[in-house]
Amino acid sequence: MKKNLLRILLLSLLAVLLFALPAAAHPPITVFVDGKVVEMDAQPVIENGRTLVPVRPLAEALGAAEDDIEWDAVNRRATISLGEKQIILTIDQAQANVSGAAVQLDVPARIVPPGRTMIPLRFVSEQFGCLVEWDGVNYVINIVSDGVSTTTPTPEPPTVIDPDRDWEDVPDSADLEDLAEEVLDILNEQRKELELPQLIRVEALDEVAEELAGDMYANDYFSSDSPHYGTLAERAKKAEIMISHEFISCGYSFAWDIVDSWLYAAGGQKILAEDTRFIGIYLYQDEDDEDAPIYAVCEVITGDGCFTMEEEVYASGSEVKIEGLMAVEEAPIIVYTLTDAEGTGYKSRENVYVNPDEDGTFSTKLYTVRGTSYMLQLGNDTMLLHVL
């Protein structure tokens, strides 16, 4: 409990405005409106069980024109007009103005770094007559504009490779590592055609996938929630790596079938998203039974980099080794020197630039002062460092 509170307090230091930053210890959220993915310019966040999203992407996806979305910087309020209804949301205020009437909010609108206005998705969508469905397993939100319930959408992925291929080229299912490489090649061919960066396969992600695939086979279940190793968030924390999404399949022996099973799953288009840069793949089959089904697990990470260390680290000495993943040639780790271990403020900020190895991993030394606490940020990931 104390650790979670400290983490929230430290993250709030990144904000220029003084408010409690909503906790973000969850996988990235994918939002659909009528089956189409809403492209966000900032990651949705959850505060007190409510999802907050950037105002303009949601409003435009619901049908608002550019001129129907207004921001009053003086009074810190956003206005959305759609049809005959108008919603006014003021930052940090627990009441909204809906066509002149005051309506109570579960969670108010917020501003998050680097200055994004975030609004409560369910409240706004439902006020405009939409139905909102939440898939808590895959962190997918489905908004239906006509208010008629549907299942979570499984849109056709942007397949650009002709599936009418020579199946004799597919490795025998017994050679599972070759089959996994075939799966990765297909995904990267599609990304190349879409002019997207290539996915980098990471051993640490392979190991997380291996644990789940083997457990599903050994204990005869099919779910990302392992009765022995926990949820994806719990398994990622144990592995000391920030995993964004996980996709599973069972019973497919050909690489293309495995790819399609992942891409057609709820949120599966994230594998081909521009900001997805790292992937882990593991295929499991009973080695004594060639006819046994193959359990296939895929792990992905969004963003240009992340740490492969615990969320809170205690170290000693004037040099601390920092390790992680990076998908670009050079990127900064933002280092905040905190005023105290409780995170009541920070007194300085600097950028430490690092270069990854060919496999996407990096290791660098951070020069520190004993008795000082730091917060480090890399892409969407953060960690706390206490130097004793």
Side-chain angles (χ1 to χ4, degrees), residues 128-377:
F128 286 131
C130 301
L131 178 75
V132 180
E133 299 173 330
W134 165 247
D135 177 356
V137 175
N138 297 295
Y139 281 78
V140 171
I141 297 174
N142 180 30
I143 302 173
V144 186
S145 62
D146 60 9
V148 178
S149 179
T150 65
T151 57
T152 300
T154 53
E156 182 175 348
T159 301
V160 293
I161 298 177
D162 183 4
D164 297 327
R165 56 186 296 161
D166 182 1
W167 289 108
E168 293 182 357
D169 292 339
V170 178
D172 187 277
S173 61
D175 193 350
L176 297 182
E177 180 52 33
D178 285 350
L179 185 56
E181 284 295 323
E182 178 80 7
V183 167
L184 180 61
D185 288 344
I186 290 174
L187 290 172
N188 273 331
E189 282 189 61
Q190 294 194 46
R191 292 179 66 90
K192 181 178 179 180
E193 290 293 331
L194 295 168
E195 298 182 352
L196 298 176
Q198 297 288 280
L199 294 171
I200 301 172
R201 190 175 179 188
V202 178
E203 183 179 356
L205 292 177
D206 286 352
E207 292 173 355
V208 176
E210 177 182 5
E211 183 178 69
L212 180 66
D215 192 51
M216 285 193 294
Y217 168 77
N219 295 284
D220 193 24
Y221 70 92
F222 185 72
S223 172
S224 284
D225 292 338
S226 165
H228 301 94
Y229 302 114
T231 64
L232 173 59
E234 291 169 335
R235 290 183 281 114
K237 183 177 181 179
K238 185 182 72 172
E240 300 178 2
I241 192 167
M242 185 188 70
I243 300 176
S244 306
H245 293 277
E246 179 176 81
F247 305 97
I248 60 177
S249 68
C250 179
Y252 299 106
S253 301
F254 292 111
W256 254 105
D257 290 335
I258 294 171
V259 169
D260 282 345
S261 71
W262 291 341
L263 295 181
Y264 279 93
Q269 80 292 327
K270 264 295 182 182
I271 302 175
L272 298 182
E274 183 176 2
D275 64 344
T276 298
R277 306 303 301 273
F278 302 99
I279 191 170
I281 299 172
Y282 196 84
L283 311 181
Y284 186 93
Q285 184 184 39
D286 185 347
E287 60 183 13
D288 296 325
D289 184 1
E290 293 184 358
D291 296 325
I294 295 175
Y295 288 83
V297 180
C298 168
E299 318 283 355
V300 298
I301 296 177
T302 58
D304 287 336
C306 69
F307 299 109
T308 54
M309 304 173 67
E310 293 184 1
E311 294 178 353
E312 188 168 9
V313 174
Y314 291 85
S316 60
S318 59
E319 296 181 1
V320 178
K321 184 167 70 173
I322 305 298
E323 297 178 315
L325 301 172
M326 190 172 292
V328 294
E329 291 185 2
E330 183 181 67
I333 298 174
I334 304 175
V335 181
Y336 294 85
T337 302
L338 305 179
T339 55
D340 51 53
E342 284 68 39
T344 57
Y346 72 92
K347 53 189 176 183
S348 66
R349 163 184 165 166
E350 66 174 319
N351 291 345
V352 177
Y353 285 87
V354 295
N355 300 94
D357 295 330
E358 291 184 1
D359 62 356
T361 63
F362 74 83
S363 177
T364 189
K365 289 182 180 179
L366 180 66
Y367 295 96
T368 59
V369 177
R370 292 182 178 179
T372 304
S373 294
Y374 303 86
M375 186 182 75
L376 281 59
Q377 181 181 11

Side-chain angles (χ1 to χ4, degrees), residues 29-33 36-40 56-58 61-62 143:
I29 296 170
T30 304
V31 178
F32 293 87
V33 173
K36 295 183 179 179
V37 178
V38 181
E39 297 294 338
M40 303 286 183
R56 187 167 293 276
L58 176 64
L62 295 178
I143 302 173

Side-chain angles (χ1 to χ4, degrees), residues 74-109:
V74 176
N75 296 298
R76 300 206 307 154
R77 65 189 183 195
T79 301
I80 307 171
S81 301
L82 186 59
E84 298 180 355
K85 183 170 284 190
Q86 182 186 73
I87 299 175
I88 301 176
L89 297 159
T90 302
I91 300 302
D92 297 338
Q93 286 194 7
Q95 280 190 338
N97 183 312
V98 181
S99 299
V103 181
Q104 193 69 22
L105 294 167
D106 294 329
V107 173

